[in-house]
Amino acid sequence: MKSLTSFGYRNISWPRLNCLLSLSKAVKLEEIKRMSWALPLVCLCEAAEDNALEVSRKAEAASKEKKPEGGVLGCTGDDGVVVLDDKEPTKSDEKPEEKKDELEESFKKILTANESWAEKALADALAFSKTTAFPRDKEYVQSIIDGNRPSKSSNNEENLVQTKLIAGFDENVWPALRSRGWKTDEKIKGFTYKEKTLKSITAVLDVIPKFHPELMNMANSLIASVAASCEKSAASGTVATLDLKNVTAKSLKLFLMDCAPLQLLADRKRAHRIGLTKRLLTQLVLLHGVHKIVSTADSSLLPEATPEERNVQLSKLINSKSLSSLPHPEWTLLHDAILIRAVTKHGWIDKQDTCLAIGNDKTIRWGGPFEISDQARKEAKEKEADPETEKKSQANYAELFNTASRALNFLQKLNENFVEGMPAPVLNDIRERLITSFGLVQDESDETWKVEEKKLKKFLRPAEGKACEALPTRKKLLKRIKRLAMSFTGKVSSPEEEKVDSPQDNSASDTKVEFKSHGFHHIDQRDCHNILLAEMIRGQLMLKQATKMSTLKYYTSLIFDEIDARVKDLAKSDENDALIKVLKKTNKDIQLYLNTCKKSARASKNILRVMLGNVPVQPKVATEPLFATEDVKPPASSTAAKAALTKLKKKKAFTPADTALNRALSSYVEDKDGIKDCLLLTSTEILTLTVLASQGLPVFSDDWSSLVSNAPIVEDNDQEEEFKIYFSAMGGIMQAAAEVWLSIAKKKLQTELLLHNGSQAIPEKDQNKIAILKKDHDAKEMTLKEAKAYSNDSLLFTRKCITLVEAVRKNMGSVDLQYAGEKKIRQLNRSENGLGPKVLNWLSKDLQKWAGPLGAVDKAGKAISTTSITLAKDHPQSHDAAMMTKRDCRTVFIQIAQQTRLRSIFTKNTTARLSNELIPKVLKQSSFVMTEWEDCPAWWNEAKKDNSSCCCHDDLDLLVGILDYGYGGFDSLLQHGYSFCKRLAAECNDDSKALTRATVQVRINHLTRELHAINETEEMMKLVEKTKRKGESEKPSNGKAKKAKTASIQSGLQAFFKQKGKEESPSPKKQKTPPASPENSDIEVIEIDSDSSDKDLKKRKQVFDCVEVVDKKQK
C-alpha cells in the first residue's frame, strides 16, 4: 500500500519495488504483483459502490420532499420578462423504465477517470487469471467477505441445482399452473390439483404433459436448463475472466472473488481495515502523470546526458502559466523539473520521511536561491574588495534595516488591531513571511521582537552562509507538485488551489511567464525591500467583508505611510527616480481602491490582486467593469427627477409587448363579473404569447405541414430556409421557458418559508404572501405540464397558437385602413407604434390561411378564437386569471405581426437584394423620411472608409439579428459580431447611448412597414402583368376580339370581375383602400389597352354595366 501511494502502479520496475518493500518475511514476486493490482481494483469497486449509494440516498431524500399546496397564476413581479434563449433547459424527469443502473454508471465514470493506470492493472490481473486452473467457491468467498469462516460444504453443488430448479419453476411454470387451478398445500409442503396431491416440483413436471399439454415446451425448457447447469457443475469449472474492452462493476467483482488474495477480501469487513479511499485513486493518476512526463523528457535525450541537461529538457515540457501557488518568490520552471525528478526518485512528497529524504539527497542540485555555487562565492568576494561596491552595500543595508524596523512596528499593530478582522491562516502567513524575510527574533527575557542584524546581512550577502534560503515547506511543495501533476493529466486544479486570494499565494511571478498588469504596477517581491509593502497589500485584500470602514481606512493609512517611507529612502539617491514614480502611481491606485471598495468590492480588489501578481477575478455580469474606476459625480438633482429617470430606464429596457404581458400577469381577476372588454388568459397562454412576441409566427406556405413538424425540406433557396422557424422548435423553447418560470417561483416560495422557519405565529400579512406564492408555484407547475404536452404534439401547439393570436386580434379592436390624403397617411404611419395598420391586416389574412388546414374555423369558414378560460369557468385558473385590456392585446399583436411579416419578406428575398435594392429604396421613401428615430446613434449606417459595405449595413444587421435572436434574446444579439454591436462596444459605457429592445423596435417597425409596402406593390404589379399576358394569349390569330356573350363577362377581363353573393364584402365603389394582399383582394381592376379601338372600349363599358346590374339584382 505504501509503495502504491509513493510511486503509483507499475511506474517503477518490479525488482526495484521489491527492494523498497520492508517485509517481515520473504514473499514471492508473483504474490507482490498480485497484491499490487488487487488493492487498487478493490478500491475502484468500493468507490463506485459508495458513489451509487450516495446518489440513491439523495434521490430518496428528494422524493420525500412535500410539495406545496395551492394553484393559481402568480405575477413575475420584478423578475421581468423571461429571456428565452439565454437559459439552459433543465433536465426533464426520467421515466421509470429509463432509469439507469447507478452502480454501473458510477463505475464507468470512475474507470474512465483512472484509465491511465487501470489499463495496466487490469492487464496484469487478466494475465494472472490464466495461471489459475480452478475457480473458487463463490459462496465460500462471499462468506469470507461477510466476515465468516465457514467450511466448504460437500453438498454445495446439489444445493445450487436445487436452488436453480426452484427459482425457474416459481418464475416461469408456477404462474401458468396457478391460473389453471393449481394450489399450494402448506401442511404437506406440496401442490394440489383436482383432488390430486403432489409433494415435489419434479412430480409436478412429470404430470404436466398429461394435464396440460400446452405447457410441455415450458417444462422441457426448465428441465434442460437445470440439466445444463448440472453438466457444467460436474465438469471442471473455469476461472472468471475480464473483457478489457467492456469492464463492468459486476464482472470485476466476480473476477476479484476468484483471483484477489483471500486475506485482502477478508480485510474488507474488519473494523480496522486497510484504508482504500478515493484519495488513493487520485494519487495513482497524479503519479502516473509525473512518471510519464519524466520518461517523455528522457526519451528525447541520449543515455549519457547530464542531470542538468535532463532537468532543462523536462522544464521545457512544463506549461505552467499560473502566477499563484509558487512555493517561493524565485521559484522557476527549472525548480519544477528538479522537484518532479525528486518525486520520481523518492516517492510522493506527502510523507515527512520522503520529504526528509529529498532534502538530504546531495545528488539533487536545486540551484539558487536554495544553493550557492562556488562561482557565486568567488564573485561575492571580488565585489567586497571594491570600495564603491562596499559603500553601496552599506547604503542598501541601511535602507533594508529601516524597512525591517517598519516591519517590526507593523507586526505589533497587526497583533493589536487586526486579529479579528483577518482570517487566522492569512494572519499567520503574513507573520511568518515578515519574520523570515527581515530577520525578526523574539527576546526571551521580555518576549519582545527585534531585528537581528546578522540574519539581515545574510539577505544582502547570501554567499557568507552555506545556502541562500532553505527549501520551501513540505506543505508548499506538495501543493506545487499536485498542481503540476494535474496539468499533466489535463485536469483543472481543485478550488482550494485555484483560489486567487489564498494566503499561500505570496509569491512573485516567474520572469518567464507573461503577466498582464492592466495598467497597474506589479510589485516585484524578489526585491526584499518590497516584501513589507506586498504583505500589507495582501492583508488589505484579505480583510473580512464585515470589517468596519474605520478599521479599513486605518489599515490603508498604514500602507500610505509605508509608501511615503519608501519614497524618502529612495530619494536619498538620484538613481531611484523611476522607482519613486512607480510608488507614487501605487499610492494613487491604493486610493482608488479605498474610494470604490464599498461600491464595487470585486472590481476594487482586482486592483490589489494585480499588484500582487494574481489573476483578476472576472465579473459575474458582462456589463460590470473588471477594475474599479473613478466615477464623475453627477450634478445634484431632485428626488422626483431621479425617480423619473429610473422609471424611464426601466421602461426602455423592455418592449411595449413585454410590458403589456407583465401587466397582464399582475392583473388578477378574483371572480369579478362585468369585465367585458378584457381578455382572460391562463399562465400557459401568457407564456405562449411571450414566445410568439419574441420570434413571431411561422409564415404560412403550401407546404405548411413541414413548418409544424420541422421535417427536413430540400430547397434550392438557402435564404428562405435560413430565416424559417418551426412550431416544433418553438414548443421546445416554450418548455424551457416554463422550466425557468417554475424555478423562479420555487425559489421565491422557499425563501419566504425560510424566513418564518421555526416561528410559532406567522403574521397575517405574511400568510397571505405565502398563499399567493403557493398559488404562483402551482400555476407554474401546470404551465410546465402543458408546455411539455405542446412540445410533444406540434400540431396541437400550432392550433393553439393560431387560435390564441386570433383571440388577441379580435379583442384589440378595429384597424383603420382608410388611407385618404397626405395628412391621414402620415397619421396612420405613426400609428401602431410606427408599424402602421397594413401589416396588422396582413397578419389577419395569414391567420385565416393557417386556420383552414388546421380545422380551426367555424361554420362560416372564419378562424375561431377560443382560449382556455370560457364562460363555463371550468379551468382551475378561471377565477385567478391574467387580464389583457384592449390596449395590451393591440400592443402584443403589433409585435407578433411585425416579426412575422419581416420574416416573410426575408424568406422571399435574398440578402443581396435586400441590402442593395430594397432597404436603400426604403431609406429614400418620403414616408420613411418623415418618421423619426429619436435614439438613432450618430454613426448609424455610416459608410466605412474602404466602402466595402452598403450605406444600410447597420439596418440590415439589425433586421437579421432580430430575426435570429428575437426580442427575448436581444442581450445575446448585442454580444454578436454585427457591425453596430462592434461600434457600441467600442464606445464608452454610457447608458444614454445604449440601445435597448424598446429603442430599436421603433426602427424595426418603420423598416418593416416600408418593406411591406414595397413588397405589396411588387405583388400587385406581378398580378396585373400576369393577367395582361393571359388576356393577350386568348386573342384570335386575326387580331379581332370575340363578341361578348350576353350571360358572361369578357374573357380577357374575367379575372378582374366577379359576381358577389349576399354575404360577401361591399362593392368596389364603397371600398376606397387597396387591400394588403392581391391574392385575397375583392377589388375589381379594369385594364384598358391604349391600342384598342373606340368600339372595343364601348363593349367593355357595356360589360361593366352588365356586372353592375347583376350586382344590384343579387342585392
Side-chain angles (χ1 to χ4, degrees):
M1 183 67 183
K2 185 178 179 181
S3 65
L4 287 174
T5 57
S6 298
F7 298 95
Y9 183 80
R10 230 176 77 180
N11 292 322
I12 59 176
S13 62
W14 291 113
R16 182 187 171 191
L17 176 64
N18 194 14
C19 295
L20 292 174
L21 294 177
S22 56
L23 301 175
S24 57
K25 60 179 181 179
V27 181
K28 293 182 180 179
L29 183 59
E30 293 299 325
E31 290 299 322
I32 294 176
K33 292 181 181 179
R34 184 184 184 187
M35 185 61 75
S36 297
W37 57 254
L39 281 168
L41 292 182
V42 170
C43 186
L44 272 180
C45 291
E46 292 182 355
E49 291 173 354
D50 292 343
N51 286 357
L53 185 63
E54 182 67 16
V55 171
S56 301
R57 185 190 64 78
K58 289 182 179 179
E60 184 178 357
S63 64
K64 291 182 180 179
E65 290 182 359
K66 186 178 180 181
K67 296 182 180 180
E69 299 178 357
V72 318
L73 170 67
C75 63
T76 57
D78 295 332
D79 292 324
V81 177
V82 178
V83 180
L84 300 175
D85 54 347
D86 288 344
K87 300 287 184 180
E88 290 287 339
T90 56
K91 189 179 290 184
S92 58
D93 297 334
E94 294 182 349
K95 298 181 180 178
E97 60 270 18
E98 295 178 351
K99 286 186 177 178
K100 300 178 181 178
D101 188 345
E102 294 294 345
L103 176 60
E104 294 298 339
E105 287 293 317
S106 177
F107 178 81
K108 185 177 180 181
K109 292 179 182 178
I110 294 177
L111 184 61
T112 304
N114 295 271
E115 188 177 6
S116 56
W117 62 265
E119 288 182 354
K120 298 185 291 185
L122 290 171
D124 292 343
L126 186 60
F128 174 82
S129 65
K130 295 178 180 179
T131 63
T132 306
F134 301 101
R136 291 171 177 167
D137 187 348
K138 298 298 186 293
E139 288 187 358
Y140 177 75
V141 175
Q142 186 62 46
S143 62
I144 292 177
I145 295 175
D146 295 338
N148 303 320
R149 291 285 182 178
S151 59
K152 292 188 178 182
S153 175
S154 59
N155 298 325
N156 185 44
E157 294 182 1
E158 296 179 5
N159 294 337
L160 290 175
V161 173
Q162 185 68 20
T163 301
K164 185 165 186 178
L165 178 62
I166 294 173
F169 180 83
D170 292 340
E171 183 179 358
N172 300 318
V173 181
W174 178 243
L177 295 177
R178 185 171 54 189
S179 63
R180 288 168 171 78
W182 284 75
K183 297 180 181 179
T184 57
D185 192 344
E186 296 295 334
K187 294 181 180 180
I188 63 173
K189 296 183 179 181
F191 308 90
T192 59
Y193 178 73
K194 293 183 179 181
E195 300 180 353
K196 187 174 181 65
T197 301
L198 301 174
K199 295 184 179 182
S200 65
I201 294 177
T202 54
V204 175
L205 294 175
D206 290 338
V207 299
I208 281 179
K210 179 179 179 182
F211 293 103
H212 309 290
E214 70 276 10
L215 301 179
M216 283 182 59
N217 292 336
M218 186 183 298
N220 293 337
S221 176
L222 176 60
I223 295 171
S225 176
V226 174
S229 65
C230 294
E231 294 174 2
K232 186 175 180 180
S233 300
S236 59
T238 57
V239 180
T241 185
L242 286 174
D243 182 7
L244 296 182
K245 295 182 180 180
N246 185 22
V247 181
T248 62
K250 184 178 179 181
S251 63
L252 181 57
K253 187 174 181 180
L254 293 175
F255 179 86
L256 292 173
M257 291 177 71
D258 262 352
C259 300
L262 285 177
Q263 61 267 36
L264 175 60
L265 300 178
D267 175 78
R268 304 321 297 152
K269 285 296 180 180
R270 292 176 181 171
H272 304 285
R273 63 180 183 176
I274 300 174
L276 299 178
T277 61
K278 296 179 183 178
R279 182 182 177 185
L280 171 62
L281 302 180
T282 303
Q283 211 154 322
L284 290 174
V285 174
L286 298 181
L287 284 166
H288 178 270
V290 169
H291 283 267
K292 184 178 180 181
I293 196 171
V294 170
S295 61
T296 303
D298 292 343
S299 62
S300 60
L301 296 173
L302 297 175
E304 58 269 19
T306 62
E308 289 77 15
E309 292 175 348
R310 295 180 182 274
N311 290 334
V312 171
Q313 181 63 25
L314 179 57
S315 65
K316 295 178 181 179
L317 302 180
I318 302 173
N319 186 18
S320 178
K321 295 183 179 180
S322 176
L323 300 175
S324 58
S325 299
L326 296 179
H328 190 272
E330 297 185 34
W331 192 270
T332 63
L333 296 179
L334 188 61
H335 292 115
D336 284 333
I338 298 171
L339 176 61
I340 291 171
R341 290 194 178 274
V343 168
T344 58
K345 182 178 181 180
H346 295 280
W348 197 245
I349 205 169
D350 58 340
K351 300 179 182 62
Q352 186 66 29
D353 56 347
T354 306
C355 189
L356 292 175
I358 292 175
N360 296 329
D361 192 347
K362 301 300 181 181
T363 62
I364 301 176
R365 304 301 300 270
W366 290 95
F370 313 109
E371 193 175 70
I372 300 300
S373 62
D374 297 335
Q375 182 66 23
R377 296 176 190 274
K378 184 178 180 180
E379 291 176 358
K381 290 181 179 180
E382 291 177 356
K383 289 181 180 180
E384 290 177 3
D386 188 1
E388 294 184 2
T389 305
E390 183 65 22
K391 185 177 179 181
K392 289 183 179 179
S393 177
Q394 291 178 359
N396 196 11
Y397 173 75
E399 183 180 341
L400 182 60
F401 185 84
N402 292 336
T403 305
S405 301
R406 295 194 300 271
L408 182 61
N409 295 330
F410 175 72
L411 185 62
Q412 294 174 353
K413 294 178 181 179
L414 198 65
N415 297 332
E416 294 173 359
N417 304 315
F418 302 102
V419 174
E420 296 181 357
M422 199 176 295
V426 180
L427 196 62
N428 294 334
D429 190 75
I430 294 177
R431 288 170 178 166
E432 180 185 353
R433 185 91 190 278
L434 294 177
I435 291 170
T436 56
S437 300
F438 296 102
L440 304 181
V441 294
Q442 195 172 21
D443 193 346
E444 297 179 357
S445 59
D446 54 359
E447 297 183 354
T448 57
W449 291 87
K450 63 179 182 179
V451 179
E452 188 174 351
E453 297 186 11
K454 290 183 178 181
K455 286 186 177 181
L456 199 61
K457 289 180 179 180
K458 289 182 180 180
F459 297 144
L460 295 177
R461 300 176 180 179
E464 293 181 358
K466 295 182 179 179
C468 183
E469 288 190 35
L471 283 173
T473 61
R474 177 171 60 90
K475 184 178 180 181
K476 294 182 178 181
L477 292 177
L478 179 60
K479 182 177 180 180
R480 184 61 183 171
I481 192 64
K482 280 184 178 180
R483 189 180 186 87
L484 293 172
M486 285 183 178
S487 67
F488 300 153
T489 57
K491 295 184 178 180
V492 182
S493 302
S494 60
E496 292 80 4
E497 295 168 348
E498 288 291 343
K499 191 173 182 181
V500 179
D501 299 334
S502 174
Q504 294 184 7
D505 295 341
N506 51 13
S507 52
S509 61
D510 183 8
T511 56
K512 297 182 181 180
V513 181
E514 294 184 2
F515 175 72
K516 192 174 182 180
S517 62
H518 300 277
F520 302 99
H521 174 58
H522 173 217
I523 299 175
D524 185 8
Q525 298 180 48
R526 291 173 295 182
D527 185 355
C528 53
H529 299 88
N530 295 333
I531 292 179
L532 174 59
L533 179 60
E535 290 305 311
M536 295 176 78
I537 293 177
R538 191 179 310 282
Q540 179 88 68
L541 179 62
M542 297 304 295
L543 284 175
K544 295 181 180 178
Q545 190 174 1
T547 304
K548 294 181 179 180
M549 192 62 187
S550 58
T551 306
L552 190 144
K553 288 183 177 179
Y554 173 65
Y555 191 99
T556 310
S557 66
L558 299 179
I559 299 178
F560 290 146
D561 293 342
E562 170 60 20
I563 295 176
D564 293 340
R566 285 281 296 131
V567 170
K568 290 181 180 179
D569 290 342
L570 294 173
K572 296 176 182 179
S573 175
D574 298 334
E575 300 177 356
N576 299 326
D577 292 340
L579 294 177
I580 293 174
K581 187 177 180 181
V582 167
L583 285 173
K584 290 182 178 180
K585 174 67 169 58
T586 304
N587 195 327
K588 292 182 180 180
D589 295 338
I590 298 294
Q591 186 65 48
L592 175 60
Y593 160 79
L594 183 62
N595 296 339
T596 58
C597 60
K598 291 299 181 182
K599 184 186 300 184
S600 179
R602 181 183 293 104
S604 59
K605 285 187 176 182
N606 278 341
I607 299 174
L608 306 183
R609 293 186 179 103
V610 173
M611 289 182 178
L612 298 175
N614 296 332
V615 180
V617 177
Q618 296 297 323
K620 293 183 178 180
V621 182
T623 55
E624 292 182 2
L626 183 62
F627 297 97
T629 55
E630 284 286 1
D631 297 331
V632 179
K633 294 184 178 180
S637 58
S638 63
T639 306
K642 290 181 179 179
L645 182 61
T646 304
K647 186 176 181 181
L648 180 62
K649 288 181 179 180
K650 289 184 177 179
K651 183 178 179 181
K652 287 188 175 183
F654 305 103
T655 63
D658 298 336
T659 307
L661 291 170
N662 266 344
R663 187 164 49 244
L665 283 172
S666 59
S667 302
Y668 291 109
V669 180
E670 295 289 349
D671 199 12
K672 294 180 181 179
D673 297 327
I675 306 177
K676 299 179 181 179
D677 296 335
C678 295
L679 184 64
L680 304 184
L681 301 174
T682 64
S683 57
T684 306
E685 290 169 338
I686 289 292
L687 183 59
T688 305
L689 290 177
T690 304
V691 176
L692 297 178
S694 176
Q695 299 287 344
L697 283 167
V699 184
F700 181 83
S701 64
D702 295 334
D703 193 11
W704 61 271
S705 59
S706 63
L707 300 175
V708 175
S709 60
N710 196 12
I713 311 171
V714 180
E715 295 189 6
D716 296 331
N717 191 358
D718 295 336
Q719 171 83 10
E720 181 177 353
E721 189 66 25
E722 178 184 358
F723 294 102
K724 274 189 177 181
I725 57 175
Y726 303 89
F727 280 105
S728 57
M730 295 173 70
I733 295 174
M734 182 177 172
Q735 180 180 344
E739 290 171 350
V740 174
W741 263 21
L742 180 58
S743 64
I744 294 174
K746 186 176 181 180
K747 184 178 180 180
K748 285 183 177 180
L749 179 59
Q750 290 177 349
T751 303
E752 188 66 25
L753 291 175
L754 287 175
L755 292 177
H756 303 284
N757 188 17
S759 58
Q760 297 179 354
I762 302 176
E764 184 179 356
K765 182 179 179 180
D766 294 337
Q767 289 181 3
N768 295 335
K769 185 177 181 180
I770 292 174
I772 292 175
L773 291 176
K774 286 183 177 180
K775 290 180 180 180
D776 181 30
H777 179 269
D778 292 349
K780 300 303 170 55
E781 278 190 339
M782 182 184 297
T783 300
L784 179 57
K785 182 178 180 181
E786 293 178 353
K788 289 180 179 179
Y790 288 147
S791 180
N792 296 330
D793 192 345
S794 301
L795 187 61
L796 177 64
F797 180 61
T798 305
R799 182 184 173 92
K800 180 62 180 178
C801 290
I802 299 303
T803 56
L804 180 58
V805 177
E806 178 66 14
V808 173
R809 185 194 70 81
K810 286 188 176 180
N811 197 71
M812 73 177 184
S814 60
V815 178
D816 187 5
L817 292 172
Q818 299 298 325
Y819 280 74
E822 184 177 348
K823 183 177 180 180
K824 181 69 173 180
I825 291 175
R826 288 199 301 268
Q827 179 183 353
L828 291 178
N829 285 342
R830 288 194 299 267
S831 66
E832 316 300 349
N833 197 17
L835 187 63
K838 289 185 178 181
V839 178
L840 306 187
N841 190 43
W842 176 89
L843 181 60
S844 302
K845 295 179 180 180
D846 201 61
L847 290 174
Q848 185 64 38
K849 293 179 184 178
W850 272 109
L854 294 173
V857 293
D858 55 13
K859 295 181 180 179
K862 296 182 179 180
I864 60 176
S865 56
T866 58
T867 58
S868 299
I869 298 179
T870 60
L871 295 176
K873 296 185 178 181
D874 52 354
H875 194 275
Q877 298 180 17
S878 296
H879 301 290
D880 295 283
M883 183 176 66
M884 290 186 66
T885 62
K886 280 189 175 183
R887 185 188 67 175
D888 294 338
C889 290
R890 197 176 199 88
T891 304
V892 173
F893 190 83
I894 287 171
Q895 188 163 314
I896 297 175
Q898 175 269 309
Q899 283 290 77
T900 308
R901 183 51 176 149
L902 183 63
R903 195 174 300 279
S904 69
I905 294 172
F906 270 69
T907 53
K908 290 181 181 179
N909 300 278
T910 62
T911 305
R913 185 169 185 261
L914 285 164
S915 61
N916 299 328
E917 180 181 350
L918 295 183
I919 297 182
K921 187 176 181 181
V922 166
L923 298 180
K924 296 176 183 178
Q925 293 280 353
S926 59
S927 56
F928 182 81
V929 175
M930 287 188 295
T931 56
E932 296 180 356
W933 184 24
E934 297 179 354
D935 300 293
C936 179
W939 43 261
W940 192 262
N941 284 339
E942 188 176 80
K944 297 182 179 179
K945 295 181 180 179
D946 56 355
N947 294 326
S948 60
S949 61
C950 65
C951 61
C952 61
H953 54 91
D954 288 333
D955 283 328
L956 179 64
D957 287 347
L958 177 60
L959 297 180
V960 171
I962 207 65
L963 290 178
D964 286 343
Y965 290 88
Y967 287 101
F970 185 77
D971 293 335
S972 298
L973 184 152
L974 293 179
Q975 304 300 324
H976 198 270
Y978 294 118
S979 58
F980 67 92
C981 296
K982 294 179 180 178
R983 297 197 185 190
L984 285 174
E987 287 186 345
C988 59
N989 295 328
D990 189 355
D991 293 340
S992 62
K993 297 182 180 180
L995 293 180
T996 63
R997 296 173 175 84
T999 56
V1000 300
Q1001 190 184 39
V1002 177
R1003 183 72 169 185
I1004 295 170
N1005 286 349
H1006 293 335
L1007 292 170
T1008 305
R1009 182 193 70 228
E1010 298 301 324
L1011 287 172
H1012 167 79
I1014 294 174
N1015 186 79
E1016 288 296 283
T1017 303
E1018 291 179 350
E1019 293 295 331
M1020 181 66 74
M1021 296 306 299
K1022 287 180 183 179
L1023 180 61
V1024 171
E1025 187 65 23
K1026 180 180 178 182
T1027 308
K1028 182 178 179 181
R1029 289 197 303 269
K1030 183 178 180 181
E1032 291 176 354
S1033 64
E1034 291 180 356
K1035 289 183 179 181
S1037 58
N1038 56 7
K1040 295 181 179 181
K1042 295 183 180 180
K1043 292 184 178 180
K1045 297 182 180 180
T1046 57
S1048 63
I1049 301 175
Q1050 184 176 348
S1051 58
L1053 300 178
Q1054 188 174 1
F1056 296 88
F1057 298 92
K1058 77 174 183 179
Q1059 299 176 354
K1060 299 183 178 295
K1062 294 181 180 180
E1063 298 179 355
E1064 292 183 359
S1065 59
S1067 63
K1069 294 181 179 180
K1070 295 183 179 181
Q1071 185 168 352
K1072 299 180 181 179
T1073 306
S1077 177
E1079 300 89 8
N1080 301 309
S1081 175
D1082 57 353
I1083 295 180
E1084 292 77 7
V1085 180
I1086 302 174
E1087 179 70 22
I1088 301 176
D1089 295 336
S1090 57
D1091 298 335
S1092 61
S1093 61
D1094 297 339
K1095 185 177 180 180
D1096 293 335
L1097 181 60
K1098 291 180 180 179
K1099 289 182 180 180
R1100 294 180 183 179
K1101 186 175 181 182
Q1102 292 174 359
V1103 173
F1104 183 80
D1105 295 336
C1106 294
V1107 175
E1108 292 293 331
V1109 172
V1110 173
D1111 203 14
K1112 292 179 181 179
K1113 289 182 180 180
Q1114 290 178 349
K1115 293 180 180 178

